[in-house]
Amino acid sequence: MARIVLTVTNDLSCDQRMHRIAAALARAGHQVALIGRQLPESMPLSERSYEQQRIRCRFRKGFGFYAEYNIRLWWRLCCMPMDAVGAADVDTLLAACLAAQLRRKPLVFDAHEYFSEVPEVVGRPLVRWCWELIARLCVPMSRQAYTVGPALAAIFSERYGVSFGVVRNMPQAAARPAERPSPPPYVLLYQGALNEGRGIEYLLEAMLHLPDCVLWLAGEGDLSAALRQQAAQHQLGGRVRFLGRLDPAALRQLTPQAWLGLNLFEQKGLNYYYSLANKFFDYVQAGVPVLTMNFPEYRAMQLQYEVALLLDTLSTEAVVAAVKHLQQEPQHYERLRRAAQQARLVWTWEAEEPTLLALWDAALRKG
């Protein structure tokens, strides 16, 4: 079996997609090493069936970080034993591509998002051009490539001239969750990074008009301090709980307690517009209906199972109206809940894993 190295720029603690991928490859008999980043606040890593490594950098963000991380990553990839390397997103692609070319090993590209279209990049033309240049140079050198949804796969295949497979961000099948306590309070749950474009500011404003709701925010990010300040200014007190970073096991325990899962995005760039987020499937696996955007991938999933209420536009007023509608129309809410109970049996990692293994087998055979 092959020695496979997978690379990301996060600290591995909460990257459920990469841990599922690494575990699947390890179960298939491969020796797997997952490389990420070491931060001062990084949580200890749980013992797993594959090796985990972290790279410590002097810089924490911006050009300095990405340059330093890719140099350190390239050196490590040049020195460690491997038969293939998998790059997660464009921010690790340059180092992985150069190491793969130097060592004549297969490169596999896993596009978690449309990197040159993320909100932090789309308004900065030079930065956006640099990331797109790396993608145009390196993606065609990959033996196999895959991404999180059909829409992005079609865009990337046309843009880079490489066929992209689809490995969706579905969770592992879990036991049927226990029944949640009857509201009120109505628990609204957001899990994920507290970053620009995620609609969290609108959620805090909405809480002023939803007195029988509580909001749980599971995650941290660039806006953590600003959001806590906003909640304090609105005197929301215990009605908004900042839960911090939670490991996947803790999230799986927490999510079934929610009344509604939140998966909201501003349409800043194409990355969010074509997203198919982990949290959408995590809510469904817990049997929790979802409030999400009326974007292409979520519309497509809704045609299979009506698990969500779709928002055409993101605003405080739209969030308030949607939540009140589900409170005042319990039949509609119950229809979504029953659909989530059905979809959770189908939308599982166990259904996605064969596609992942087939892509990697093809890459290793070509190598």
Side-chain angles (χ1 to χ4, degrees), residues 112-146:
H112 293 189
E113 55 189 354
Y114 198 162
F115 204 81
S116 60
E117 290 285 335
V118 299
E120 295 85 355
V121 168
V122 72
R124 303 164 66 190
L126 180 58
V127 175
R128 186 181 187 185
W129 178 85
C130 289
W131 287 124
E132 186 59 29
L133 177 63
I134 290 172
R136 287 187 178 276
L137 290 174
C138 296
V139 173
M141 297 185 186
S142 59
R143 299 285 179 86
Q144 290 289 327
Y146 53 91

Side-chain angles (χ1 to χ4, degrees), residues 119 188-207 210 215-217 223 227 260-269 271-281 283 289-295 298 308-323 326:
L188 312 180
L189 173 64
Y190 170 88
Q191 60 180 61
L194 306 185
N195 286 345
E196 180 183 355
R198 306 294 182 97
I200 307 167
E201 302 94 325
Y202 298 107
L203 294 176
L204 293 176
E205 295 287 340
M207 291 300 293
L210 298 169
L215 175 62
W216 294 355
L217 300 172
L223 299 183
L227 293 171
L260 187 66
L262 305 170
N263 183 49
L264 304 177
F265 298 104
E266 297 180 68
Q267 195 172 333
K268 294 183 176 182
N271 179 59
Y272 286 163
Y273 184 68
Y274 289 113
S275 68
L276 192 52
N278 291 20
K279 64 176 73 69
F280 176 81
F281 295 110
Y283 298 143
V290 187
L291 180 63
T292 192
M293 303 308 299
N294 191 10
F295 290 168
Y298 303 112
L309 186 61
L310 303 181
L311 288 185
D312 292 323
T313 58
L314 179 57
S315 66
T316 300
E317 295 75 17
V319 172
V320 171
V323 172
L326 292 178

Side-chain angles (χ1 to χ4, degrees), residues 6-275:
L6 305 173
T7 67
V8 295
T9 56
N10 63 57
D11 78 344
L12 307 183
S13 300
C14 302
D15 194 332
Q16 297 186 64
R17 178 177 174 87
M18 291 309 299
H19 284 302
R20 284 193 291 263
I21 289 171
L25 292 170
R27 281 193 297 271
H30 301 294
Q31 297 179 29
V32 180
L34 177 57
I35 300 178
R37 175 188 185 187
Q38 177 71 50
L39 290 165
E41 64 271 19
S42 292
M43 295 184 292
L45 293 172
S46 303
E47 186 174 343
R48 298 182 184 268
S49 60
Y50 46 87
E51 184 181 355
Q52 300 170 87
Q53 301 180 19
R54 283 167 161 170
I55 295 174
R56 190 184 301 273
C57 292
R58 179 171 299 178
F59 295 96
R60 293 197 58 165
K61 60 182 180 179
F63 174 80
F65 162 68
Y66 289 111
E68 180 186 6
Y69 187 82
N70 272 269
I71 291 169
R72 291 180 181 274
L73 177 61
W74 173 80
W75 179 252
R76 187 166 299 195
L77 292 174
C78 287
C79 296
M80 65 189 299
M82 71 174 189
D83 297 307
V85 59
D89 280 324
V90 180
D91 53 354
T92 68
L93 182 57
L94 183 59
C97 180
L98 291 175
Q101 291 293 307
L102 179 66
R103 301 187 62 181
R104 299 183 180 180
K105 303 296 183 181
L107 169 67
V108 175
F109 180 50
D110 176 7
H112 293 189
E113 55 189 354
Y114 198 162
F115 204 81
S116 60
E117 290 285 335
V118 299
E120 295 85 355
V121 168
V122 72
R124 303 164 66 190
L126 180 58
V127 175
R128 186 181 187 185
W129 178 85
C130 289
W131 287 124
E132 186 59 29
L133 177 63
I134 290 172
R136 287 187 178 276
L137 290 174
C138 296
V139 173
M141 297 185 186
S142 59
R143 299 285 179 86
Q144 290 289 327
Y146 53 91
T147 187
V148 296
L152 282 181
I155 291 171
F156 292 155
S157 296
E158 180 178 357
R159 195 172 188 87
Y160 304 121
V162 172
S163 178
F164 272 74
V166 176
V167 179
R168 293 173 295 182
N169 285 322
M170 293 183 178
Q172 291 178 306
R176 183 184 178 93
E179 291 295 323
R180 69 185 60 84
S182 298
Y186 295 85
V187 177
L188 312 180
L189 173 64
Y190 170 88
Q191 60 180 61
L194 306 185
N195 286 345
E196 180 183 355
R198 306 294 182 97
I200 307 167
E201 302 94 325
Y202 298 107
L203 294 176
L204 293 176
E205 295 287 340
M207 291 300 293
L208 295 171
H209 309 282
L210 298 169
D212 49 0
C213 293
V214 295
L215 175 62
W216 294 355
L217 300 172
E220 297 289 356
D222 297 338
L223 299 183
S224 290
L227 293 171
R228 284 177 167 84
Q229 184 178 7
Q230 183 182 353
Q233 288 174 344
H234 290 327
Q235 299 181 342
L236 293 171
R239 294 183 52 233
V240 175
R241 292 177 58 192
F242 289 87
L243 303 175
R245 288 188 179 88
L246 300 178
D247 64 37
L251 272 179
R252 285 192 294 270
Q253 294 294 319
L254 176 78
T255 305
Q257 301 175 44
W259 177 75
L260 187 66
L262 305 170
N263 183 49
L264 304 177
F265 298 104
E266 297 180 68
Q267 195 172 333
K268 294 183 176 182
L270 298 178
N271 179 59
Y272 286 163
Y273 184 68
Y274 289 113
S275 68

